[in-house]
Amino acid sequence: DNSKAEETKHKIEQSNGMTFVDGILIVNKTYSLPSDYAPGVSTIAQNAFDEMAAAAAEDGITLFVNSSYRSYQDQESLYNSYAAERGTEAADEVSSRPGHSEHQTGLCFDLNSIEDSFQYTSEGKWVNDNCYKYGFCIRFPKGKDAYTGYQYESWHLRYVGTELAEKLYNNGDWISLEEYF
């Protein structure tokens, strides 16, 4: 009987309050991290960024980390300031609630400028077209708000390894982690 609904091909594991899909740590509006999870910046992600920045420099592009690891407490302060300024609904479009920020994983970097205009700069275009080669994805791709719950962030990279990053790259039309899984 082949009428059975197709089962998910992805392995979902819960461990120490964290959720992994096919071994990839997932943090978003649904899946959170424990408040005491505090790994600092991932050495693997930092090394990949350094390698990417060196390659970009060879192309005349300067990349730098604007923001990387953030503790639960730092995210709480940041989110609360956005919520006080704009209200929670508007804050939720641009900022993660505490425990729901990828910055707490130590696997993501906000590059250069956290302005929408970054996507139109030579740096933003280089990152969009090349970051996958170093294991990074554009975490909140253009037009994927319905999947991610966040506006497009051309500067927000998440380290996922080269194999997955290449699949998400999709010839420059990025697929979000939520869509992929």
Side-chain angles (χ1 to χ4, degrees):
D1 180 46
N2 292 336
S3 63
K4 256 186 10 181
E6 187 179 322
E7 289 180 43
T8 178
K9 293 180 179 79
H10 300 289
K11 183 180 179 188
I12 300 173
E13 296 172 287
Q14 300 276 336
S15 175
N16 299 322
M18 298 179 285
T19 303
F20 295 84
V21 180
D22 294 349
I24 301 289
L25 177 59
I26 300 295
V27 179
N28 58 23
K29 292 189 183 224
T30 305
Y31 300 107
S32 63
L33 294 168
S35 60
D36 62 353
Y37 183 71
V41 175
S42 158
T43 305
I44 294 169
Q46 182 65 57
N47 291 343
F49 172 79
D50 293 343
E51 190 183 332
M52 181 174 73
E58 288 177 21
D59 290 340
I61 300 293
T62 302
L63 297 180
F64 58 90
V65 175
N66 180 319
S67 175
S68 59
Y69 171 74
R70 246 183 251 142
S71 70
Y72 181 96
Q73 291 71 23
D74 289 345
Q75 188 64 34
E76 191 170 38
S77 300
L78 185 66
Y79 177 83
N80 288 343
S81 70
Y82 277 122
E85 188 183 296
R86 309 172 183 190
T88 54
E89 198 176 319
D92 283 337
E93 290 177 12
V94 296
S95 182
S96 303
R97 292 184 179 220
H100 292 267
S101 172
E102 284 200 320
H103 286 280
Q104 193 182 337
T105 67
L107 295 168
C108 85
F109 300 107
D110 286 344
L111 303 185
N112 298 38
S113 163
I114 57 167
E115 299 293 328
D116 287 339
S117 58
F118 180 68
Q119 65 186 298
Y120 304 113
T121 65
S122 52
E123 292 81 4
K125 289 174 183 163
W126 191 97
V127 165
N128 186 74
D129 296 339
N130 294 284
C131 71
Y132 75 93
K133 298 172 188 171
Y134 304 92
F136 290 98
C137 67
I138 304 284
R139 183 58 182 94
F140 306 117
K142 186 177 271 186
K144 307 297 182 169
D145 317 34
Y147 296 102
T148 65
Y150 294 102
Q151 296 172 354
Y152 173 47
E153 293 189 356
S154 58
W155 61 84
H156 181 112
L157 300 188
R158 160 71 196 267
Y159 184 80
V160 293
T162 52
E163 190 181 329
L164 179 54
E166 198 166 309
K167 292 172 184 169
L168 298 173
Y169 174 63
N170 196 31
N171 296 313
D173 184 21
W174 287 93
I175 298 168
S176 69
L177 280 176
E178 286 79 4
E179 281 175 283
Y180 181 79
F181 288 130

